[in-house]
Amino acid sequence: MIAVMQTNMGEIEDSTVRPKVTDAKGILKQNRQFLDYFWDIAKPEREIRLKAIEDLIEHLKQSEKPDELKYSLKRLVDGLSHTRDDARSGYSVALAQKFIRNAAFGNFFGVLALSQSTRLHKEPQVMLECVKLLQSLSQYREHLRDLPRKTMVDILSETPKEVFEEVLLSALQSDLTSALNTPEQLELLLVAMQKFPSVLKPKKLKKLLGAAAVITKENMPKLVEVLKMAARSVKKDNILPPVALDLLQASLREDNFEMFWNEAIIKGMLSEMPGPTHYLGFRLLGASLPLLSVPQLEFVLSGDVMRYYGQHMLSAQLAYRFKFAPEMEKYVSEFMQGCADADKQLAVVLGFTQLTNQGYPVVPSSWKVLEHMDLCALQQYVKWLMEAFCKPQLEKCLDFSTRRQKGNQESEVESDSCVARFRKWIVPRLSFIVENHQIKKEEGLVMKMARFIFFHAFFDVKKPTPEIPETVQALSVPIDQQTRATISSAFYGLLQGLNSMAVLGDSPEAEKLNSRRILGVKADGSMWIYCVVQYATTLLNQSKHVQCVQTLSPEQRQGWDSMLESVEALRKKAKKSSSPEHTAFQYLFLLVGIQMFKAPDESLELLNDLRTCVEKAQAKKSKKKKAKGESCNEEPHWVEVVVEILLSLLSQPSRLIRSVCKAVFSRICPHLTQEALSSILNVLDPNKDEDESGVMVTDEKEKKRKHKEEDKQDNEEDEEEEDEDGSDSSSDDEEDEDEDMGEGKEVDQNFRLDLMKVLQGQNALATEEDGSDEEELDDAAMMKLDGSLASLFLEHKKKIQAKKDEKDRLRKEKVLVRDFKIKVLDMVEMFLNKQGSSALVLGMVEPLLSVIENGMSSETSQQEQDFLRKAADIFRNRLCRAKYYCRETDGREAELHEMLERLIGRAQKLTDSSVSPYYFSAALYVLKVLRGVVSEQDSANAPSTPAELRLMGKMDVERVTTCFKNALTSFLTKRKSPLTGAMFIDLFSRFPVLCVNLLDTAVENITAGVREHQQGQACLMVLRALQSKDVKNLMSDAQGTELHQKVVDQLAKSFEDVQCKNKMVREKIVKALELCQHLVRSVHTQEMPVNLELLQKVLESMNAEGSLQKPGQLEDMYWSVMKLFCILKPKMEKVKKVVEAEQTEETTKKNKKKKGFLPETKKRKNRKKPTVLEGKETPASTEGASGGEKKNKKKDKKRKQQGGEGEQTQNQPATKKAKTQPQQNKKKKKKGGQQEADGK
């Protein structure tokens, strides 16, 4: 860097003319503050100059941009020739500082290069000179920071003992003597003591420091100051200073660790406000873990450093606060990985577990550090957690409270609430140990934790018994209801983890089960959930010793026992012949049964429904078997029975049932058959009725409930109507009349007829024959009429209410059906995720498309939109774009080709263009299935050789090409087509063979397209095809040349007599020019024998009138194409226009001046005329005569108010004056209004 600066200065001195500063990259324009430094350096105020010099040097330190360095050097050198003395002094000081910095950097990097060459220790004298140079460079701390001292430490670490004692010790005498002054010097001493203990003996240390050891009470104040300096120096780096760790190691060697920790860390570093000193203590705590023994670990983890760390954990929960927890977790994780001592691991984990805030541990329950825990330590830790749950000893914990908590709490926190908080943390920690697959554990330990959580979630101890180990440990504080609910929810989460757990252990049986990817079972093959249910049965039978929190009724207990009987029967069948059918049914019964402790009524009802559904499904399958005939002797597949049961259960609105069904279905996905999948898809099919077994269960229950509610409402209404007065009945009548208006005309007419009959029956209706002498009804007749009218209106009201109830029922039923279908979509998504490569997936394409198509045209309620969005996402992302797809097409080639033709045909006939992309994506998926695996690689990895490209698997290329050719022709020749160009571009990119076959059709439609949009899309398709490397590989040179010539001819025709009428034409021309640009460039680079003369002539004729010389996308693309023909865009055209515009402006101004300036004699004569009209017309006339003049001239004319200017308008024709005057007055009014607004 110094050499570069010297050469630059030499160039400046040699040059007679000051060099012009260039800024090619525009850096100086981007940073205005950088330029302001040089202006401030030249100011006369001394403080401003010094501040600017400091800021400039600091800016150059941080930026390290070569352009800024070069510019600043030139600017400072130029500033030495300034006319003012103050400016020259400022530039000279800044230049000197810059040279000092560069010289320091040069010397340091030279020494660093020597030290890294690993040859420095072979030449002691050179090493000595390097050390002396580093000592001298230490004074430039503002530039080099602590790099010289670190380099000296590196040199010491590689220096032999003899060289250090004979050569370096005398040179480092001053640094070692003043070791307690700075962190760098202290680190130098500590490294020397560690590297050369035989040289720096206690006697030598006493001569250097005045003490035989470093860690002493006399040295402690200086050591604390050095540590504080080190902490502040690494504030931005977030690292542990090496001197702190070296001091810790020195305290361990000198056996003064506790004194160092108490005096230096707790009393020294933690006495400051929270900040760098606290973080140094935390980092030293994490780094010291591998160096300490078990008693020392317990001492450190139970002290004030941990308490301060806990307070930091709580205060750092805000978003803008610095969080040290990830750094501490990294320290502890590294310790757990590298430590093989189980006692040390247990001590560290217990230390962090016992750091509590009012009973709740600060460390999260899901702590990934436990993944590296030894099995023996893990067993001891789990035992401690269980004991702490039963008998929490909070006095042994390191508990603390924040300042806000201390201020808010009026009295001490109750111990029971602290115990509850501690228990709410322990249970999730146990669940995390079970669910985390990275933690090594045994089956016995897992079962022990599962039993413990289940027992305390649902049972209480009456009398301890050794048969149930969980009853032996009594609870010191009873479990409250809120904690019980937390444990219950944690158990069901744990149960989900057990069902998805791989087989534990390294036994051959476990490896065999894991190879088959069987989850949720133990090594002996029994399911985890079955073991939990067996334990629950044991607890239910031990009523003398334990008591269930929620007592089961006799019916619920009978349901539990019947569930166990069903499971045992299935287990016996499984032993005789192992089949996934028995496992699925067991899993279904067990999952429903274990929910009885959480929701006994719902679980019992669900168990009854489950048995009913099994019976119905079996009966339905037997009917199907009889209907098929005697030839079908096989029983229905068990998966069909399970699917029928799951669909029946899903019809009920319950989260519990939904989770159970998802868990069961995930296990039976590999065994699904076509019939089972069809039963699922039939539910989603909008053209078929909903499956009775899936919906009627809910409908029947709802009908029973609604009938009961309606009976109650009718009884209440009858009782109310008996007590109602006439006023109430009249108000009811008014409401009925209003409701009648909302119904149809037929309803109103029927009601009127009934009313007429009642009135005529009681002779209460007046007729024309009666005349005026009609007789009034007596009291008995009136009472009878009132009763008849009341019964009529009551019946009418019931009819209206019945219709409303029917509408409401239909609406709710529709919502339930839609919700049921959304749940079924979850099953479809799960099947695609787990069995995406199954051949059954092909049968799901068209049903899902019909769902999407029907959803696009149906109502737009929020639930309907959610259903449609979910179906479209599953189809697009889980089916068409899935990583794994069906590859079993043996014997189904004809079926797949017919499906492809149906999909493409349907895509062309759709009226809704938003549905067409889904059909086209499905067609591309079928093509991918037909092509299959091209080579050893997957089809997603495009092959490169032409032979691999031509391999299309079992696809009939001619048939497929004909299908897509018809679709492409339909898109390009029909005005309204649901297809888009992007669909065919996707087809071309994924299937190059079809692209080659369809290119001729696309080329022809560059000119034959029905509209400009289709022609532009044809150009874009051809462009993407020509840009594809695979297409080039599939075509020979002769074919490529012929294709390019065809495209050239088509483009020449498309450019003939073209006129940019509208936006569509311009877009088409832009796309054609893009194709033309690629085409011409390819012809030139590949030297193809293609005739481009006609195309060039047509392109030149497009700009014959100079219409394509304006800036714009079309014009830029045109000239980029013409540049390939060595025809550049004229550059002088803009200048000519500017000159012409200036000439026209000058001529108009001259003409206006000649017309506007009048002789003085006329001006004198005009002064005699009245000035009222002239004053109004003057500004308008000047605007009309010279509208192009500047605003300042107008203001001057208004100020002068020359009356003679009014005659300009008099010399003009009267018609022009009459036309312009109103407009000018309007303008004047607007201006006056603006001026008034501005004045306000």
Side-chain angles (χ1 to χ4, degrees), residues 213-442:
V214 177
I215 310 299
T216 61
K217 288 187 177 182
E218 295 78 10
N219 295 337
M220 202 56 66
K222 294 183 179 180
L223 293 177
V224 170
E225 292 300 324
V226 169
L227 286 175
K228 290 180 180 179
M229 292 170 58
R232 297 187 185 99
S233 65
V234 296
K235 179 180 179 181
K236 296 181 180 179
D237 299 330
N238 295 333
I239 59 173
L240 176 66
V243 65
L245 187 60
D246 292 339
L247 271 178
L248 178 69
Q249 293 175 346
S251 67
L252 291 172
R253 289 196 303 269
E254 297 174 2
D255 201 13
N256 290 326
F257 171 72
E258 292 188 4
M259 182 182 69
F260 167 75
W261 194 260
N262 288 327
E263 299 295 331
I265 304 302
I266 296 177
K267 295 182 181 180
M269 306 302 289
L270 299 182
S271 61
E272 299 282 330
M273 292 295 292
T277 56
H278 285 224
Y279 300 144
L280 184 141
F282 301 156
R283 291 189 180 98
L284 195 59
L285 170 65
S288 65
L289 294 178
L291 307 175
L292 305 180
S293 62
V294 175
Q296 290 172 341
L297 286 172
E298 294 176 351
F299 166 73
V300 169
L301 296 174
S302 60
D304 290 338
V305 178
M306 285 291 288
R307 182 177 284 109
Y308 278 99
Y309 173 68
Q311 293 176 357
H312 162 77
M313 288 278 289
L314 292 185
S315 63
Q317 292 178 355
L318 299 176
Y320 60 89
R321 296 285 182 88
F322 172 72
K323 296 175 176 57
F324 191 81
E327 200 170 339
M328 180 62 77
E329 184 175 346
K330 184 178 179 182
Y331 277 119
V332 181
S333 180
E334 291 176 354
F335 162 75
M336 299 290 286
Q337 282 181 309
C339 179
D341 191 348
D343 295 335
K344 288 185 177 182
Q345 286 187 350
L346 182 63
V348 171
V349 174
L350 287 179
F352 281 93
T353 302
Q354 292 175 334
L355 178 62
T356 59
N357 170 241
Q358 295 183 353
Y360 195 85
V362 175
V363 178
S365 57
S366 56
W367 206 25
K368 291 188 177 181
V369 171
L370 301 178
E371 295 176 357
H372 312 292
M373 202 168 186
D374 185 69
L375 180 59
C376 181
L378 181 65
Q379 292 175 346
Q380 298 177 11
Y381 181 59
V382 170
K383 182 180 178 181
W384 183 90
L385 287 174
M386 293 179 178
E387 292 177 355
F389 181 91
C390 298
K391 294 183 178 180
Q393 297 180 355
L394 298 179
E395 63 278 2
K396 293 184 178 180
C397 295
L398 187 63
D399 198 81
F400 67 92
S401 299
T402 60
R403 294 180 182 177
R404 182 175 296 180
Q405 290 173 345
K406 291 178 181 178
N408 292 339
Q409 63 187 26
E410 299 178 356
S411 60
E412 294 185 0
V413 182
E414 297 181 0
S415 59
D416 292 351
S417 63
C418 293
V419 169
R421 287 166 58 86
F422 195 35
R423 285 172 173 171
K424 289 179 182 179
W425 182 90
I426 289 176
V427 173
R429 170 57 65 90
L430 292 173
S431 300
F432 171 75
I433 294 173
V434 174
E435 296 173 7
N436 193 327
H437 304 310
Q438 301 296 328
I439 300 177
K440 296 180 181 179
K441 45 192 175 288
E442 295 178 346

Side-chain angles (χ1 to χ4, degrees), residues 30 351 421 445 479 527 579 604 693 702 704 713 901 988 1207 1218 1226:
Q30 297 176 2
R421 287 166 58 86
L445 184 63
I479 301 175
M527 290 185 289
S579 173
L604 179 61
S693 62
E702 287 187 350
K704 291 178 181 179
Q713 290 178 359
E901 292 173 350
F988 287 1
E1207 290 191 4
K1226 288 180 182 179

Side-chain angles (χ1 to χ4, degrees), residues 473-691:
Q473 191 77 21
L475 297 175
S476 59
V477 178
I479 301 175
D480 59 291
Q481 187 175 359
Q482 188 177 4
T483 306
R484 186 91 64 180
T486 303
I487 303 173
S488 175
S489 61
F491 167 73
Y492 287 105
L494 170 69
L495 196 62
Q496 192 70 21
L498 288 174
N499 293 331
S500 60
M501 183 186 295
V503 182
L504 302 177
D506 300 329
S507 62
E509 294 81 4
E511 294 179 357
K512 184 179 179 180
L513 291 172
N514 284 327
S515 63
R516 294 164 55 190
R517 295 183 181 180
I518 297 178
L519 304 177
V521 299
K522 299 171 69 174
D524 58 357
S526 59
M527 290 185 289
W528 284 105
I529 187 173
Y530 175 75
C531 299
V532 175
V533 169
Q534 288 294 318
Y535 176 67
T537 305
T538 303
L539 295 178
L540 290 174
N541 295 331
Q542 295 284 344
S543 57
K544 295 181 179 179
H545 302 282
V546 295
Q547 180 182 2
C548 187
V549 175
Q550 191 171 3
T551 306
L552 300 181
S553 63
E555 294 180 357
Q556 294 167 355
R557 183 59 192 272
Q558 184 180 359
W560 175 269
D561 295 337
S562 62
M563 180 270 297
L564 289 177
E565 293 175 359
S566 303
V567 171
E568 291 299 330
L570 289 170
R571 283 176 60 85
K572 291 180 181 179
K573 292 181 181 179
K575 289 180 180 179
K576 295 180 180 179
S577 60
S578 60
S579 173
E581 172 187 3
H582 308 310
T583 305
F585 279 114
Q586 285 185 61
Y587 191 61
L588 188 58
F589 276 106
L590 292 171
L591 269 176
V592 176
I594 201 66
Q595 306 291 337
M596 190 170 289
F597 294 96
K598 181 180 182 180
D601 296 332
E602 186 179 0
S603 181
L604 179 61
E605 186 177 359
L606 189 56
L607 280 172
N608 296 331
D609 292 340
L610 181 59
R611 295 191 191 90
T612 305
C613 292
V614 170
E615 295 173 358
K616 285 184 178 180
Q618 292 289 355
K620 189 174 182 180
K621 297 304 176 183
S622 61
K623 289 180 181 179
K624 286 183 179 181
K625 186 180 69 172
K626 292 179 181 179
K628 289 180 181 179
E630 298 178 356
S631 59
C632 183
N633 296 324
E634 297 181 358
E635 294 183 359
H637 201 277
W638 63 270
V639 175
E640 301 172 20
V641 179
V642 177
V643 169
E644 292 287 343
I645 294 171
L646 295 181
L647 291 175
S648 301
L649 296 177
L650 280 176
S651 65
Q652 303 181 22
S654 171
R655 290 185 179 181
L656 171 61
I657 299 173
R658 190 172 187 176
S659 62
V660 169
C661 292
K662 288 180 69 175
V664 174
F665 188 76
S666 64
R667 298 177 72 93
I668 66 171
C669 274
H671 310 286
L672 277 186
T673 60
Q674 183 63 50
E675 290 293 332
L677 190 60
S678 299
S679 61
I680 296 174
L681 297 175
N682 288 337
V683 176
L684 302 174
D685 192 354
N687 300 321
K688 296 182 181 180
D689 295 332
E690 284 78 8
D691 192 14

Side-chain angles (χ1 to χ4, degrees), residues 11 288 804 1060:
E11 293 176 0
S288 65
K804 285 185 177 182
C1060 301

